[in-house]
Amino acid sequence: MSTYSNGILLFRFRDERLEVMLVHPGGPIWAKKDHGVWSTPKGLPEEHESPIDSAKR
């Protein structure tokens, strides 16, 4: 069975430079592992929740 997650790429321009928001997975598995594990903020949808609502949460 497939699992889906929903997310939004948050960005802004500051001093004419593009900035994006990235997140790092938490917990002991990802501690001290920074290289290549950054991601966009996202989450798993709850039952009867639209993709955009779970992405905003």
Side-chain angles (χ1 to χ4, degrees), residues 13-46:
F13 287 95
R14 184 181 225 184
D15 298 326
E16 299 183 14
R17 294 185 63 165
L18 175 65
E19 295 179 342
V20 296
M21 181 179 178
L22 299 177
V23 296
H24 190 277
I29 294 174
W30 298 107
K32 299 180 184 177
K33 295 180 184 175
D34 289 338
H35 186 72
V37 295
W38 296 93
S39 179
T40 57
K42 55 187 170 279
L44 298 174
E46 294 179 0

